[in-house]
Amino acid sequence: MNIVTLLPFIVLIGAMFLMTRSAKNKQRQAAKMRDAMTPGTGVRTIGGMYATVKEIRDDTVLLEVAPGTHALYAKNAVGAVLEQEEYERIVNGTSGELGIGETVVPDDASSLTSDDDADGSKVDFAKEDGADSSSAEDATTAADAKDEQTKGDDRPEDAKRKGTDSE
């Protein structure tokens, strides 16, 4: 056989080897990370929930998701073991980071209005009495046109609405 015909197969086998090697490395690192868990360690599950490790068993972990609330998870469900500082920052937050004590929403609407409207001019959205009545005439004309279209149509009202023929 010619080497040129074997080249695509060699490249394919090499790519498969590299992919499986990379996947095995990731699995090894994940197992090493899970082995680093100790009671009291902060973790993030693959579902995105933050919890504290309470007890480690053979293939399960008991997590405290809230004070006094425990849940049993598979070890494989732990997505990341977090450093204590990072876990505290994420779960408890810091007052500077969250903006605690700062006014986000005003207590009243006075800060939302500008001083430019101090002269008392307001916009009136009500329809005036002398408004143009052409829009009412247009609506009447449209209704008359619809009646003209349906005069010759002797289908029941339901069939007209659904667009089907009931006969």
Side-chain angles (χ1 to χ4, degrees):
M1 288 189 121
N2 193 356
I3 188 99
V4 177
T5 57
L6 292 177
L7 188 63
F9 294 113
I10 293 171
V11 170
L12 183 64
I13 291 171
M16 288 174 37
F17 172 74
L18 290 175
M19 285 190 292
T20 57
R21 183 174 161 202
S22 173
K24 284 182 183 179
N25 282 338
K26 287 182 183 179
Q27 286 176 349
R28 231 180 276 125
Q29 287 175 348
K32 188 177 178 182
M33 179 227 11
R34 288 187 194 101
D35 290 338
M37 282 190 300
T38 58
T41 307
V43 296
R44 183 183 68 236
T45 65
I46 57 174
M49 183 177 63
Y50 293 92
T52 305
V53 176
K54 283 298 181 185
E55 184 180 320
I56 301 172
R57 300 177 185 163
D58 290 337
D59 53 348
T60 59
V61 177
L62 185 66
L63 300 178
E64 185 176 31
V65 295
T69 305
H70 297 89
L72 189 64
Y73 279 82
K75 276 189 177 178
N76 291 339
V78 175
V81 177
L82 306 172
E83 298 291 328
Q84 186 64 27
E85 298 83 27
E86 182 182 6
Y87 178 75
E88 290 295 325
R89 180 184 58 80
I90 292 170
V91 173
N92 297 329
T94 59
S95 62
E97 180 181 308
L98 298 176
I100 296 175
E102 297 176 16
T103 303
V104 177
V105 178
D107 291 338
D108 60 355
S110 63
S111 63
L112 301 175
T113 59
S114 65
D115 293 337
D116 297 339
D117 293 336
D119 61 354
S121 63
K122 304 225 183 232
V123 178
D124 186 16
F125 292 107
K127 196 170 188 179
E128 296 178 15
D129 291 337
D132 189 14
S133 62
S134 65
S135 60
E137 292 174 5
D138 291 342
T140 306
T141 307
D144 291 341
K146 184 178 177 185
D147 289 341
E148 289 294 325
Q149 290 175 352
T150 58
K151 277 185 182 177
D153 197 359
D154 57 345
R155 292 184 293 167
E157 190 64 31
D158 288 341
K160 292 177 191 175
R161 236 181 276 127
K162 293 179 185 174
T164 59
D165 199 10
S166 62
E167 295 176 308

